[in-house]
């Protein structure tokens, strides 16, 4: 290489940058040994410059090559810089990163890349490998860069012998800015140059010829010594310009005659010494673009130039480096475009509905789900953003939120229902049917966000919760059973904390201050120090000391003793099984517990505050903070005792670190679903996770829809969704879908009671307009509740085969009169998303009208006033009545500083009132508040209305009678 290149590089540097030694690469991924690799130094560079200068001077005055086409390079770099600036106007933090894997010792080529990238505004990083790196070692580095979302382009600077097909095609085509992969070459040959990256070296040859005024149409081109991707790209580009192209290797017979015929000769590799220059016809244009440009071995033998002109490898290589930067900017632009809203190229699964409709399990089994990694790619997830569990489930990493932070959210739709009855309303089925209609039939990006079902009801009386019929999540047995173990993680974390509480009381009761302190802060290998969580407790206590030996006796006692009052413990052990005999028990009866025993109980696992924390958190750091501030009891002075005080926060976070990631599954029609968190709506807030919703809203894009479900009726699940979940997430809902059925409305209208397993009475199977009309009062009340929050309501009437047209029309008409934006009959259970297309259209129209969302109450109101507001405005109560216990708890929580939290009413879901048998719209009732508890980590106060059980029991004939396993096929049978 001639000495002109360093001079040109100095001209390309940014103004004000002082000249200096060549830029050093970032820390290599793997250090080279024995002086090889990218190491080198100024001595090596100086030798290269001296050698190049000597070669240049040996040509003599009459054989000087034309000046380097510096203006072309500057033009390319300036264009790249301007395009990048335009991209950064809307994405200020965006800066493309080019990674170069280098196996060699050419620091000058490294400096070229660095300077051009810096001039254009890109970042560049070199991965330096020894010159003798094996094919597998190079591929390992390529695969790492492929999956690095921070890198937008990848180039190889390796020896020609290393450019095997295996190495080249290891590159991701979308990062292949040198255009060497088969996919990019294939697109170029096919004529799709706008969809691929073209070899910068080949483009540089064409650019230099055309900028030099050479008309390529009809010219005879001879490409000598080029191989692989460079040869193919040159042939293609010349032929597109009307040239007649020949290729040859240096040892090809009749090379002399081919050279004499050529108008333009392109040297793809250094000329052997035994090929005389006299073979080239005078007046021929010659370009030297030795393929070893990529490896840094820029051979430039002494070509005594007597032709029309020689464009030396200096010109080609420098322009190629600039065009590579241009490709990088194009790569960044494509990457940004992919991050923005685009309709998914989703391969939807076809349904073939049968009549009569088979069981849910049979329907699920008949459909083969897509591989979850295929689904993830279709919806825009990157390979390193998912963790695959089996074939059909994956967890999604929270790093996605950072990548898509500038992406606009989609529309946010809540599915709620009328007051539930044993006949069921089908909220999950409507949720799934709606997204199937939106995506599979209307080609609109949509995501369903559902709660994970508890295994208690799955084996008890309710059965599964994956939807039903031809609108369900598959595989339904995986959905309804262990999924990815989130509930088990919650159970483990919850019970670790429960064990910590009783153990601490035991040890404080049986040890002196000194003995307790010595065990809490032991000497390990002669060193005694506080753990980080103990230092946090010292800070909370106002003890500004870090040396364990420096504490006074009073400080030792203050630090070591929590003085938990056992009568105030609110933290219970949990189990994900319906077991009525764990509702009350005595613990600590073994002699090893030294007489410390107390009454306790088990709750169902999904009632754990940790489940509520999981559902409401928005990051790993936030979850850790919430777990730490969970109040488990009060001390004997009435002050709250937290998980942080017990020193267990870090351990709880470790147990929950995977559970925080939403679970990706799919519907029967292959549309995406997040299944994450599963708090009950009667004893907790009853909504899937904030994180699942936030990630889904980014993935669907501005024109897409996220459809999430609230448990039980609108008076419970929806009210908590608005007042608790939306307050925590900051998300604003665009519409509510209120689900009803003719059968359930008949029960609210005074229809006879229903017993599970007993055939329905004729009132439910035959037309009865009067019962339907009377029962619509509950539907009208739930519409009014939604309107309190300023969100448009669409009624989805879940149609059964026994419903008549007159009954369906009546419900839709009365719903519209009550203020519903629309009311639509739905048939998704029997035919899938096709049966819910009209609902999807209505939702799309309602969501486009804009939401005037507002909260029902100000959290700064006193606890009693917030409870009264919900009771009167939502349930229709005349007033509330507090028990002495409830009033005492309210006073305590207010005194402890928790009075400004939202309210989560724990109430029966079977009635608007506290009495489950009161259907329709009960009036003029007094709502009794029997107790009040606090979920400080989750962030709400929950009053107990009447008697509420937090541990379900099993019925006489549980679902488990029908559940079995085929031991040969390993298929589950009887799961709903």
């Amino acid at each position: 290489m001639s000495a002109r290149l360093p001079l040109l590089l100095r001209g390309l540097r940014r103004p004000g940058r002082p000249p200096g030694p060549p830029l050093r690469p970032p820390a290599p991924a793997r250090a080279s040994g024995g002086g090889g690799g990218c190491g080198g130094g100024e001595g090596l560079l100086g030798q290269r410059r001296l050698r190049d200068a000597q070669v240049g001077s040996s040509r003599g005055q009459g054989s000087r090559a034309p000046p380097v086409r510096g203006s072309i390079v500057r033009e390319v770099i300036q264009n790249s810089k301007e395009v990048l600036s335009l991209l950064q106007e809307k994405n200020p933090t965006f800066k493309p990163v080019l990674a170069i894997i280098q196996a060699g010792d050419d620091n000058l080529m490294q400096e070229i890349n660095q300077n051009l990238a810096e001039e254009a505004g890109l970042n560049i990083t070199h991965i330096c490998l020894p010159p003798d790196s094996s094919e597998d070692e190079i591929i390992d580095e390529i695969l790492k860069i492929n999956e690095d979302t921070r890198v937008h382009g990848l180039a190889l600077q390796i020896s020609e012998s290393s450019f095997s097909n295996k190495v080249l095609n290891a590159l991701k085509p979308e990062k292949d800015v040198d255009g060497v992969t088969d996919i990019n070459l294939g697109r170029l040959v096919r004529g799709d140059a706008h969809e691929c990256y073209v070899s910068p070296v080949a483009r540089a040859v064409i650019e230099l010829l055309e900028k030099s005024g050479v008309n390529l149409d009809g010219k005879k081109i001879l490409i000598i010594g080029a191989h692989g991707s460079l040869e193919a790209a040159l042939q293609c580009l010349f032929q597109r310009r009307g040239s007649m192209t020949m290729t040859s290797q240096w040892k090809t017979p009749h090379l002399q005659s081919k050279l004499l015929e050529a108008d333009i000769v392109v040297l793809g590799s250094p000329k052997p010494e035994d090929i005389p220059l006299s073979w080239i016809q005078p007046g021929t244009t010659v370009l030297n673009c030795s393929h070893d440009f990529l490896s840094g071995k820029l051979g430039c033998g002494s070509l005594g130039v007597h032709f029309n002109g020689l464009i030396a490898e200096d010109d080609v290589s420098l322009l190629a480096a600039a065009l590579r930067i241009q490709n990088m900017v194009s790569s960044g632009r494509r990457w940004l475009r992919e991050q923005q809203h685009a309709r998914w190229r989703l391969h939807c699964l076809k349904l073939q509905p049968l009549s009569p409709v088979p069981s849910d399990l049979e329907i699920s089994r008949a459909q083969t789900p897509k591989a979850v990694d295929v689904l993830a790619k279709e919806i825009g997830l990157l390979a390193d953003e998912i963790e695959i569990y089996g074939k059909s489930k994956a967890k999604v990493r929270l790093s996605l939120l950072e990548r898509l932070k500038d992406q606009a959210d989609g529309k946010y739709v809540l599915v709620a229902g009328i007051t539930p009855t044993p006949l069921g309303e089908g909220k999950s089925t409507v949720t799934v049917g709606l997204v199937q209609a939106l995506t599979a039939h209307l080609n609109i990006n949509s995501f369903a966000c559902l709660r994970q079902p508890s295994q208690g009801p799955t084996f008890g009386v309710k059965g599964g919760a994956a939807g039903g019929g031809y609108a369900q999540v598959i595989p339904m047995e995986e959905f309804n059973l262990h999924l990815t173990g989130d509930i088990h993680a919650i159970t483990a974390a919850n019970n670790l904390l429960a064990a910590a509480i009783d153990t601490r009381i035991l040890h404080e009761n049986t040890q002196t201050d000194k003995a307790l302190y010595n065990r809490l802060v032991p000497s390990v290998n002669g060193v005694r120090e506080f753990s980080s969580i103990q230092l946090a407790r010292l800070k909370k206590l106002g003890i500004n000391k870090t040396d364990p030996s420096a504490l006074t006796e009073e400080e030792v006692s203050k630090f070591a003793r929590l003085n938990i009052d056992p009568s105030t413990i609110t933290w219970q052990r949990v189990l994900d099984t319906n077991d009525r005999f764990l509702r009350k028990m005595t613990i600590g009866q073994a002699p090893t517990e030294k007489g410390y025993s107390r009454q306790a109980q088990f709750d169902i696992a999904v009632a754990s505050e940790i489940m509520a924390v999981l559902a409401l958190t928005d990051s790993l750091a936030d979850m850790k903070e919430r777990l730490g501030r969970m109040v488990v009891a009060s001390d004997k002075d009435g002050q709250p005792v937290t998980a942080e005080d017990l020193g267990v926060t870090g351990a709880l976070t470790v147990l929950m670190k995977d559970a925080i990631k939403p679970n990706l599954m799919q519907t029967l029609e292959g549309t995406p679903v997040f299944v994450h968190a599963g708090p009950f709506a009667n004893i907790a807030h009853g909504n899937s996770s904030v994180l699942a919703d936030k990630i889904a809203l980014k993935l669907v894009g501005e024109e897409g829809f996220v459809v999430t479900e609230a448990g039980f009726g609108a008076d419970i699940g929806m009210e908590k969704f608005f007042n608790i979940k939306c307050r925590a997430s900051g998300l604003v809902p665009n519409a509510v879908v209120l689900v009803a059925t003719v059968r359930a409305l008949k029960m609210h209208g005074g229809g006879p009671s229903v017993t599970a397993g007993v055939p329905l009475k004729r009132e439910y199977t035959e037309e009865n307009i009067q019962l339907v009309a009377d029962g619509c009062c509950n539907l009208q009340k739930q519409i009014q509740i939604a309107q309190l929050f300023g969100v448009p309501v669409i009624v989805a009437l879940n149609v059964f085969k026994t419903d008549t047209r007159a009954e369906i029309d009546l419900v839709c008409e009365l719903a519209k009169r009550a203020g519903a934006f629309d009311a639509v009959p739905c048939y998704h259970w029997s035919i899938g998303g096709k049966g819910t297309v009209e609902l999807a259209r209505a939702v799309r129209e309602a969501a486009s009208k804009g939401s005037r969302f507002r909260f029902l109450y100000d959290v700064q109101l006193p606890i009693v006033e917030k409870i009264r507001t919900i009771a009167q405005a939502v349930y229709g109560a005349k007033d509330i009545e507090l028990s002495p216990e409830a009033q005492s708890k309210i006073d305590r929580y207010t005194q402890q500083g928790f009075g400004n939290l939202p309210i989560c009413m724990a109430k029966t879901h079977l009635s608007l009132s506290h009495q489950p048998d009161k259907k329709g719209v009960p009036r003029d009732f007094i709502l009794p508040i029997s107790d009040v508890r606090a979920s400080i980590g989750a962030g709400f106060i929950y009053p107990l209305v009447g008697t509420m059980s937090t541990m379900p029991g099993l019925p006489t004939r549980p679902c488990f009678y029908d559940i079995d396993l085929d031991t040969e096929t390993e298929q589950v049978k009887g799961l709903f």
Side-chain angles (χ1 to χ4, degrees), residues 641-680:
V641 177
T642 66
E644 184 81 4
D645 293 327
L646 285 158
V648 75
T649 306
L652 299 181
T653 309
V654 168
L655 287 170
M656 293 293 295
K657 72 179 180 65
D658 292 318
I660 195 174
K661 303 165 190 171
N663 304 294
L664 177 65
M665 295 187 75
Q666 63 193 282
T667 69
L668 277 167
E669 297 191 53
T671 66
V673 179
F674 274 142
V675 185
H676 198 218
F680 280 177

Side-chain angles (χ1 to χ4, degrees), residues 563-575:
N563 288 321
I564 296 170
D565 181 352
S567 67
T568 66
I569 294 174
T570 56
W571 195 264
Q572 311 298 343
R573 289 164 173 82
V574 299
L575 185 69

Side-chain angles (χ1 to χ4, degrees), residues 382-419:
L382 304 178
D384 67 342
E385 290 172 342
I386 60 170
E387 298 169 2
I388 297 175
Y389 285 64
K391 296 179 180 179
S392 53
K393 307 184 297 290
K395 281 196 164 292
V396 176
R397 293 176 178 165
L398 307 189
S399 58
L400 171 72
L401 286 170
E402 176 62 25
R403 176 170 69 88
L404 298 182
K405 63 184 179 183
D406 297 323
Q407 169 79 288
D409 287 346
K411 302 292 192 299
Y412 197 26
V413 178
L414 175 71
V415 175
I418 62 171
T419 302

Side-chain angles (χ1 to χ4, degrees), residues 636-936:
K636 292 173 182 176
D637 295 324
Q639 295 304 306
V641 177
T642 66
E644 184 81 4
D645 293 327
L646 285 158
V648 75
T649 306
L652 299 181
T653 309
V654 168
L655 287 170
M656 293 293 295
K657 72 179 180 65
D658 292 318
I660 195 174
K661 303 165 190 171
N663 304 294
L664 177 65
M665 295 187 75
Q666 63 193 282
T667 69
L668 277 167
E669 297 191 53
T671 66
V673 179
F674 274 142
V675 185
H676 198 218
F680 280 177
N682 54 351
I683 54 179
H685 72 286
N687 292 276
S688 62
S689 77
V690 165
L691 278 169
D693 291 356
K694 284 191 169 186
I695 292 173
L697 285 164
K698 295 296 183 186
L699 287 171
V700 298
E702 192 170 6
E703 302 302 318
F705 285 80
V706 171
V707 184
T708 189
E709 175 202 351
F712 298 130
D715 58 303
I716 295 184
M718 184 188 72
E719 180 271 315
K720 294 173 182 177
F721 172 86
F722 289 144
N723 282 321
I724 297 175
K725 185 176 180 180
C726 289
R727 211 184 289 266
S729 69
L731 299 174
V732 175
N734 298 95
V736 169
V737 174
L738 195 62
V739 181
T741 66
V742 167
R743 301 191 312 180
L745 290 171
K746 286 179 177 180
M747 177 170 277
H748 283 294
S753 61
V754 174
T755 304
V758 176
L760 293 176
K761 295 181 180 179
R762 63 184 181 84
E763 285 87 346
Y764 297 111
T765 59
E766 298 176 4
E767 184 176 287
N768 192 321
I769 296 296
Q770 189 59 52
L771 272 183
V772 174
D774 292 344
C776 277
C777 64
N778 187 273
L779 174 61
Q780 292 162 336
K781 173 62 176 175
Q782 303 288 9
I783 292 171
Q784 292 166 9
I785 294 170
Q787 290 173 332
L788 291 173
F789 298 91
V791 182
V793 183
I794 305 97
V795 170
L797 186 62
N798 206 354
V799 176
F800 286 76
K801 63 182 179 180
T802 55
D803 300 345
T804 68
R805 174 48 57 186
E807 291 173 329
I808 293 170
D809 291 345
L810 176 64
V811 174
C812 292
E813 176 61 27
L814 292 176
K816 292 176 186 176
R817 286 188 197 174
F821 179 86
D822 204 349
V824 184
C826 301
Y827 304 89
H828 48 275
W829 183 81
S830 57
I831 59 174
K834 183 179 178 182
T836 321
V837 168
E838 290 308 311
L839 174 66
R841 290 192 173 116
V843 167
R844 179 172 59 180
E845 185 180 354
S848 69
K849 300 296 182 183
S851 172
R852 297 180 179 179
F853 176 67
R854 56 186 174 270
F855 297 118
L856 183 65
Y857 54 81
D858 185 340
V859 289
Q860 300 302 324
L861 287 172
I863 292 174
V864 172
E865 289 307 310
K866 288 181 283 194
I867 296 172
R868 181 175 285 113
T869 298
I870 295 171
Q872 294 177 335
V874 177
Y875 307 150
K878 185 178 180 181
D879 204 352
I880 61 172
E881 183 178 70
L882 298 174
S883 71
E885 176 72 10
Q887 185 63 63
S888 173
K889 292 282 188 69
I890 288 172
D891 294 342
R892 181 197 302 170
Y893 295 141
T894 302
Q895 181 269 325
Q896 292 176 341
F898 305 137
N900 61 347
L901 294 176
I903 302 298
C904 181
M905 302 289 279
K907 182 185 81 69
T908 178
H909 56 288
L910 297 173
S911 173
L912 284 162
S913 74
H914 57 288
Q915 297 172 290
D917 57 333
K918 300 293 185 183
K919 305 301 180 186
V921 183
R923 301 181 189 280
D924 297 326
F925 59 92
I926 303 296
L927 193 73
I929 308 300
S930 58
D931 196 2
V932 176
R933 298 176 187 171
S935 291
I936 305 306

Side-chain angles (χ1 to χ4, degrees), residues 500-566:
I501 296 167
D502 289 305
T503 301
R504 186 60 173 262
I505 293 173
L506 171 69
H507 290 310
E508 288 189 23
N509 286 345
T510 56
Q511 297 180 51
T512 64
D513 289 351
K514 183 177 180 181
L516 188 62
Y517 183 68
N518 288 339
R519 286 182 171 88
L520 288 171
V521 193
S523 175
V524 179
N525 296 325
V527 178
R528 194 179 189 193
E529 59 185 7
F530 294 114
S531 68
S532 58
I533 200 166
Q534 288 176 327
L535 288 170
R537 173 161 168 74
L538 287 169
K539 186 176 180 181
K540 178 182 176 181
L541 294 171
I543 302 172
N544 298 314
K545 296 177 181 178
T546 57
D547 181 1
S549 62
L551 270 64
T552 65
E553 288 186 7
E554 182 182 353
E555 289 170 338
V556 164
S557 179
K558 193 176 179 181
F559 170 81
R561 295 199 176 274
L562 298 179
N563 288 321
I564 296 170
D565 181 352

